Amino acid sequence: MKKQERQQLLKRLLTSREIERQEDFVRLLSEDGIHVTQATISRDIKEMQLVKLPAESGGYRYSLPVQKKIDTQKKLQRTLQNAYISFAVQDQFTILKVLPGNGPVIASLLDQMRYEFVFGTVGDDSSVLTICVSHQGALQLEKTIDHMLAD
Amino acid sequence: MKKQERQQLLKRLLTSREIERQEDFVRLLSEDGIHVTQATISRDIKEMQLVKLPAESGGYRYSLPVQKKIDTQKKLQRTLQNAYISFAVQDQFTILKVLPGNGPVIASLLDQMRYEFVFGTVGDDSSVLTICVSHQGALQLEKTIDHMLAD
DNA sequence: TGTGAATATCAATTCAAC
DNA sequence: GTTGAATTGATATTCACA
């Protein structure tokens, strides 16, 4: 049993079972006849960049890596905090005013976040127009941006 | 100092500092004159659904929640595992054949994943055409899909 | 390099108090 | 409902060795 094969198996387990603890991996693997210790699982998890998430259910779940999304959100937040001027909502539209030069990057980052309430975004030098799926959606976007600015 | 204020502060710290351990939070808060214990931070982290990520640098970082991205990936993987028929690469293009009805949802999920090597995706009833940024990118997409199917 | 055994470190929970 | 102190529980690392 090579490390790589084991790690493939870990991924498979991750999507097919609820893994709360590293010991769960140890147990499930041993049911498949693969005997490793928690120490090895810990190393695998680090290497695979798996994460332990607080689950909605109240417990914890191990999950696949998520680095990119986080990076995007961080960048958007930082950019907003640096460049924000004003925000307005009308119907399903929003207009975000930002410091010159920041419109396109913010529009792009908003796109990348793939908010389900955003239909599309376009940014010129100092404005970002967002078309939301509804007025409700526009309000959600407002809330989201407020949060980022407040954080 | 209310819990909510403290949690806002935690978010701010998260984006402005590198937090490796819960004790880092305790220390940084106490520098701001806010005295709580690791137990409280642990509860905050659970409630805010923060995650401890294996960092590229080798250590660990606490980070903002990431549930949505994970959900998307899981859904894409499950859908692919259910509906996959074949995959082909030519130049910077790929054609994925799937069971009837699954093309649009897979195209959409692929879009949502925002793979940096994918330029654009379009799905009809049973096919998904992806335009990648390069032939290399197309190969990366192939690898990604293979992984999902293998997991 | 990869691993287990033991250990150290870190995180989650319990329990009492407010 | 919220917290700290103490504790338990879980995870990361060290060290020896294959």
Side-chain angles (χ1 to χ4, degrees):
Chain A
M1 190 58 181
K2 293 194 191 72
K3 187 173 77 168
Q4 218 179 334
E5 298 174 56
R6 184 184 61 242
Q7 294 192 352
Q8 282 298 331
L9 236 162
L10 290 184
K11 276 206 213 172
R12 203 169 321 180
L13 288 171
L14 208 54
T15 51
S16 61
R17 316 280 300 242
E18 309 262 281
I19 311 290
E20 297 188 317
R21 289 181 299 280
Q22 299 188 355
E23 293 291 353
D24 292 342
F25 276 129
V26 175
R27 187 170 39 75
L28 290 168
L29 284 179
S30 83
E31 286 172 9
D32 284 10
I34 298 159
H35 297 277
V36 292
T37 60
Q38 175 267 326
T40 297
I41 298 297
S42 174
R43 293 183 194 109
D44 284 342
I45 282 172
K46 184 169 190 172
E47 197 171 326
M48 299 167 74
Q49 300 192 271
L50 304 183
V51 292
K52 186 169 109 175
L53 297 178
E56 314 92 61
S57 61
Y60 295 85
R61 290 293 117 79
Y62 274 94
S63 175
L64 297 169
V66 285
Q67 193 59 50
K68 195 161 296 169
K69 179 68 169 292
I70 295 159
D71 289 350
T72 303
Q73 174 165 344
K74 268 188 168 166
K75 194 167 166 190
L76 174 57
Q77 182 164 18
R78 273 197 238 103
T79 309
L80 277 172
Q81 287 174 340
N82 285 329
Y84 178 86
I85 293 175
S86 70
F87 187 81
V89 177
Q90 177 160 93
D91 299 332
Q92 79 267 45
F93 306 107
T94 76
I95 289 280
L96 172 68
K97 292 287 183 186
V98 296
L99 295 176
N102 287 282
V105 62
I106 290 175
S108 163
L109 290 168
L110 278 170
D111 271 352
Q112 287 173 58
M113 288 305 289
R114 293 262 134 187
Y115 294 118
E116 80 284 357
F117 45 84
V118 169
F119 173 69
T121 304
V122 58
D124 71 10
D125 195 55
S126 60
S127 302
V128 180
L129 167 68
T130 301
I131 303 165
C132 298
V133 296
S134 65
H135 178 57
Q136 269 306 318
L139 295 177
Q140 275 194 269
L141 179 58
E142 181 173 39
K143 207 171 86 178
T144 303
I145 287 177
D146 279 353
H147 268 119
M148 288 198 190
L149 292 170
D151 282 353
Chain B
M1 190 59 182
K2 295 194 190 71
K3 188 173 78 169
Q4 218 179 334
E5 300 174 54
R6 183 185 61 241
Q7 292 191 353
Q8 284 297 332
L9 235 161
L10 289 183
K11 277 205 210 171
R12 203 169 320 178
L13 287 171
L14 209 53
T15 50
S16 62
R17 315 279 303 240
E18 310 262 280
I19 311 291
E20 297 188 319
R21 289 180 298 281
Q22 299 188 353
E23 293 290 354
D24 291 342
F25 276 128
V26 175
R27 186 170 39 75
L28 290 168
L29 284 179
S30 82
E31 287 173 8
D32 284 10
I34 298 158
H35 297 276
V36 291
T37 60
Q38 175 264 325
T40 297
I41 298 298
S42 174
R43 294 181 194 109
D44 284 342
I45 282 172
K46 184 170 190 170
E47 199 172 325
M48 301 168 72
Q49 301 194 268
L50 303 183
V51 293
K52 186 169 111 175
L53 298 176
E56 314 91 60
S57 60
Y60 295 86
R61 291 292 116 79
Y62 274 94
S63 177
L64 296 169
V66 285
Q67 195 58 51
K68 195 159 295 168
K69 178 67 169 292
I70 295 159
D71 289 349
T72 303
Q73 174 163 344
K74 270 187 165 167
K75 193 167 167 190
L76 175 58
Q77 182 165 18
R78 274 196 237 103
T79 309
L80 278 172
Q81 286 172 340
N82 284 329
Y84 178 85
I85 294 175
S86 69
F87 187 82
V89 177
Q90 178 160 93
D91 299 332
Q92 79 266 45
F93 307 107
T94 75
I95 290 280
L96 173 68
K97 292 287 184 186
V98 296
L99 295 175
N102 288 282
V105 61
I106 290 175
S108 164
L109 290 168
L110 278 170
D111 271 352
Q112 287 173 60
M113 289 304 291
R114 292 264 134 185
Y115 295 118
E116 81 284 354
F117 45 84
V118 169
F119 174 70
T121 304
V122 58
D124 71 10
D125 196 55
S126 61
S127 300
V128 179
L129 167 67
T130 301
I131 303 165
C132 298
V133 296
S134 64
H135 179 56
Q136 269 306 318
L139 295 176
Q140 275 194 271
L141 179 59
E142 180 174 39
K143 207 171 87 178
T144 303
I145 288 177
D146 279 353
H147 269 120
M148 289 198 189
L149 293 171
D151 282 352

